[in-house]
């Protein structure tokens, strides 16, 4: 584990390196951000949005919570989406889950871990809606992997149904919602092909 002074030393090296390569990088970014992507991902320390996508500071707006849940009653998540879509005018909203997600696993096993149990009820709701498909897989590793994917698809659909995204589409603003899943095993992203670019593409109307 790194000691805190080491982290500050790392930070100085990092800032110096970027400044060496691009002298105006920080002053330019300080004036404004214009990211094209909003990433909604899991809080898991192994799933850092910028690094996975190879993007620099300024290139992706980020919201993370346990198991990448999108709820229209979550003021935090909705404020991030609203600001990203209405003010920053991002062109892509990416909901990215990951295999091996501890939150998804706890939800599937109905684990009792404290306050987080209430949050994970939203993932359990996804499991309940797809119970038949999940039970048919029989082996738990496959069930968990599939639930990670189904959770992404459902949360991406929640993004599409928000007044914010519906409003953007209604006024003709280009905006696409994507569902991706990341593998901790190989560091690779997979597109789940649940991409939606307008209200007529929403599954189930
Ligand atoms: Co996770």
């Amino acid at each position: 584990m790194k000691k805190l002074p080491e982290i500050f030393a790392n930070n100085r090296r990092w800032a110096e390196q970027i400044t060496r390569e691009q002298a105006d990088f920080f002053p330019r970014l300080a004036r404004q951000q214009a990211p094209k992507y909003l990433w909604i991902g899991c809080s898991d320390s192994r799933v850092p949005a910028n690094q996975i996508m190879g993007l620099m500071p300024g290139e992706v707006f980020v919201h993370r919570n346990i198991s990448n849940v999108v709820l229209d009653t979550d003021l935090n998540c909705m404020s991030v989406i609203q600001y990203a879509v209405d003010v920053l005018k991002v062109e892509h909203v990416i909901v990215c889950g990951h295999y091996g997600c501890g939150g998804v696993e706890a939800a599937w096993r109905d684990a009792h871990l404290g306050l987080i149990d209430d949050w994970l009820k939203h993932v359990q709701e996804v499991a309940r809606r797809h119970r038949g498909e999940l039970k048919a897989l029989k082996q738990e590793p496959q069930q968990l992997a599939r639930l990670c994917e189904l959770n992404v698809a459902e949360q991406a659909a929640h993004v599409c149904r928000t007044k914010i995204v519906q409003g953007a589409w209604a006024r003709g603003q280009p905006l696409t919602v994507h569902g991706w899943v990341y593998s901790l095993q190989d560091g690779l992203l997979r597109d789940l092909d649940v991409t939606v670019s307008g209200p007529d593409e929403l599954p189930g109307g």
Side-chain angles (χ1 to χ4, degrees), residues 60-87:
V60 57
F61 204 63
V62 172
H63 178 76
R64 290 168 70 179
N65 62 43
I66 295 178
S67 298
N68 37 272
V69 171
V70 176
L71 292 178
D72 61 7
T73 51
D74 177 356
L75 184 61
N76 181 356
C77 183
M78 288 304 114
S79 300
V80 171
I81 297 176
Q82 192 264 321
Y83 187 77
V85 171
D86 291 350
V87 182

Side-chain angles (χ1 to χ4, degrees), residues 10-20 22 26:
N10 287 348
N11 167 252
R12 279 191 299 273
R13 271 195 305 276
W14 171 79
E16 283 161 12
Q17 191 196 332
I18 289 179
T19 303
R20 260 199 310 278
Q22 223 176 313
F26 291 111

Side-chain angles (χ1 to χ4, degrees), residues 83-143:
Y83 187 77
V85 171
D86 291 350
V87 182
L88 296 174
K89 300 201 164 22
V90 297
E91 290 166 18
H92 301 275
V93 179
I94 298 150
V95 176
C96 187
H98 66 104
Y99 298 122
C101 182
V104 168
E105 193 176 304
W108 180 246
R109 293 182 182 161
D110 203 16
H112 296 285
L113 302 171
L115 181 64
I116 183 67
D117 301 350
D118 291 327
W119 180 252
L120 294 176
K121 285 207 169 71
H122 303 295
V123 180
Q124 289 182 321
E125 175 61 20
V126 176
R128 194 191 57 75
R129 284 160 55 93
H130 299 273
R131 193 160 194 84
E133 178 186 344
L134 291 165
K135 285 285 171 196
L137 290 170
K138 294 194 173 67
Q139 303 291 320
E140 197 184 44
Q142 283 75 35
Q143 291 169 328

Side-chain angles (χ1 to χ4, degrees), residues 176-197:
T176 305
V177 179
H178 308 261
W180 296 353
V181 66
Y182 174 76
S183 169
L184 300 173
Q185 301 291 336
D186 59 13
L188 296 178
L189 288 166
R190 288 162 181 75
D191 190 340
L192 292 174
D193 282 324
V194 292
T195 310
V196 181
S197 300

Side-chain angles (χ1 to χ4, degrees), residues 29 32-37 58-60 88-90:
L29 262 191
Q32 67 154 1
Q33 61 167 340
K36 287 196 166 28
Y37 315 98
E59 293 186 301
V60 57
L88 296 174
K89 300 201 164 22
V90 297

